Amino acid sequence: MLYLQDIVIVRPAKVEDEYGNEKDDWGDAATRIPVSGVNVQPAGGSTEDTEDRQVTVTGWRLYTPRGMDIDLRETDRVEAWGTTMQVIGKVARWPAPGGGVHHVEADLREVA
């Protein structure tokens, strides 16, 4: 695999709404973490029918090269090529023999 892609990990700021509930703020207050040298590939998609329209969900899979760990959490989003994707499920950090991280994998889905 070629690890030539740049992404930005977006971590939401926590803000309080008018009712005192904590909510995610994906705007200017969010933390943005640039990452270089990863690989993001299409991982299939699906079409879902809702009551009044058809929605296409595009899936992606993020990989890091051997020995590269990144600060990616299941609550983050990823930006690449003008597309915003959310992390789906747990981020997989595969162990390396002798300790550490061999590589990281994460499933992503486009955010509408």
Side-chain angles (χ1 to χ4, degrees):
M1 280 189 241
L2 300 176
Y3 299 96
L4 304 173
Q5 296 164 326
D6 298 327
I7 62 168
V8 176
I9 296 171
V10 183
R11 184 157 301 138
K14 300 296 182 184
V15 296
E16 198 172 280
D17 67 14
E18 62 270 17
Y19 303 106
N21 300 311
E22 188 177 86
K23 68 175 190 171
D24 291 338
D25 180 357
W26 295 99
D28 293 337
T31 301
R32 305 177 75 74
I33 305 164
V35 177
S36 295
V38 299
N39 185 281
V40 180
Q41 299 180 8
S46 65
T47 302
E48 301 172 8
D49 289 318
T50 61
E51 290 180 21
D52 56 351
R53 66 185 178 115
Q54 193 173 45
V55 178
T56 300
V57 177
T58 303
W60 301 88
R61 184 110 174 134
L62 180 144
Y63 301 89
T64 65
R66 178 182 293 171
M68 181 181 187
D69 192 2
I70 57 175
D71 184 16
L72 182 64
R73 302 175 188 170
E74 63 190 53
T75 54
D76 290 339
R77 291 183 178 175
V78 172
E79 293 176 343
W81 326 291
T83 300
T84 302
M85 299 160 274
Q86 67 185 42
V87 177
I88 304 301
K90 299 282 186 186
V91 176
R93 287 183 169 78
W94 296 99
V101 172
H102 183 273
H103 72 283
V104 174
E105 295 181 27
D107 288 322
L108 307 171
R109 179 175 58 203
E110 281 189 43
V111 175

